[in-house]
């Protein structure tokens, strides 16, 4: 799909209908293991990947409590999907991408997941972006996450 916003819309629409999106993700060049993210998981993933406009971007205080304008939300979704596709296709490596990603939405859903698979998928994403040391530190800060290492899939 040429328009990243339409791709995001299709994914969210299918997830709202509890449809499998794995085929669509593969067709779009996205990681198939993202297929089981909840709608909230997708929204936070796109927010994390698309909110930062520049390298080393820091979210302004209060940005998560405001209702965005339509244009701003569209730009965030477009940037988020573009970066997610580039990362999935190895066009953009994890180390470079991590400079643009705002980690707050990822951490929020890792600590308090909305869907059954959100924690596992977003912890994997966090670890791939920031490294296993950062993921281990996150687990130490939130003791309930430390137990996940017994069940994580290394695939």
């Amino acid at each position: 799909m040429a328009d990243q916003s339409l791709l995001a819309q299709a994914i969210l629409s299918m997830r709202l209908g509890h449809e499998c999106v794995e085929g669509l993700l593969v067709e779009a060049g996205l990681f198939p293991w993202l297929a089981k993210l909840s709608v909230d998981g997708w929204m936070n993933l796109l927010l994390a990947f698309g909110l930062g406009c520049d390298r080393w971007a820091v979210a302004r205080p209060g940005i998560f409590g405001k209702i965005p304008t339509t244009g701003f939300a569209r730009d965030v979704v477009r940037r988020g999907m573009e970066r997610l596709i580039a990362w999935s296709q190895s066009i953009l490596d994890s180390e470079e991408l991590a400079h643009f990603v705002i980690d707050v939405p990822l951490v929020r859903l890792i600590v308090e997941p909305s869907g059954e698979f959100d924690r596992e998928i977003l912890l994997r994403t966090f670890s791939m972006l920031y490294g296993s040391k950062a993921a281990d530190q996150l687990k130490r800060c939130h003791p309930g996450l430390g137990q996940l290492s017994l069940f994580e899939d290394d695939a």
Side-chain angles (χ1 to χ4, degrees):
M1 286 188 172
D3 187 346
Q4 309 315 348
S5 298
L6 291 177
L7 174 59
Q9 182 180 3
I11 291 168
L12 292 171
S13 177
M14 289 175 75
R15 289 304 293 145
L16 278 169
H18 302 288
E19 297 177 50
C20 179
V21 297
E22 189 169 348
L24 179 59
L25 298 184
V26 170
E27 182 183 319
L30 288 162
F31 293 122
W33 47 265
L34 294 170
K36 293 187 178 178
L37 267 178
S38 69
V39 171
D40 197 29
W42 274 104
M43 294 300 294
N44 278 278
L45 183 66
L46 291 172
L47 183 62
F49 275 57
L51 191 58
C53 296
D54 302 313
R55 290 179 60 119
W56 305 105
V58 176
R60 294 183 313 271
I63 189 77
F64 300 109
K66 293 181 181 176
I67 297 174
T69 65
T70 303
F72 179 78
R74 182 184 53 244
D75 290 345
V76 168
V77 169
R78 181 192 45 76
R79 268 193 311 271
M81 192 57 77
E82 286 173 354
R83 290 173 182 163
L84 189 56
I85 290 170
W87 183 48
S88 296
Q89 296 177 357
S90 300
I91 296 168
L92 186 61
D93 69 15
S94 296
E95 187 175 330
E96 179 66 21
L97 177 61
H99 299 303
F100 293 94
V101 174
I102 305 294
D103 66 354
V104 173
L106 295 177
V107 172
R108 180 175 50 212
L109 229 54
I110 289 169
V111 174
E112 295 181 23
S114 291
E116 181 180 356
F117 300 100
D118 288 352
R119 178 176 284 155
E120 175 186 346
I121 293 169
L122 294 176
L123 192 56
R124 179 178 186 177
T125 302
F126 186 90
S127 182
M128 290 173 70
L129 285 172
Y130 302 110
S132 58
K133 286 183 181 180
D136 289 343
Q137 182 179 1
L138 180 64
K139 289 176 185 178
R140 280 193 300 276
C141 291
H142 303 279
L145 300 179
Q147 298 171 4
L148 292 177
S149 61
L150 297 172
F151 307 104
E152 286 177 358
D153 182 3
D154 293 300

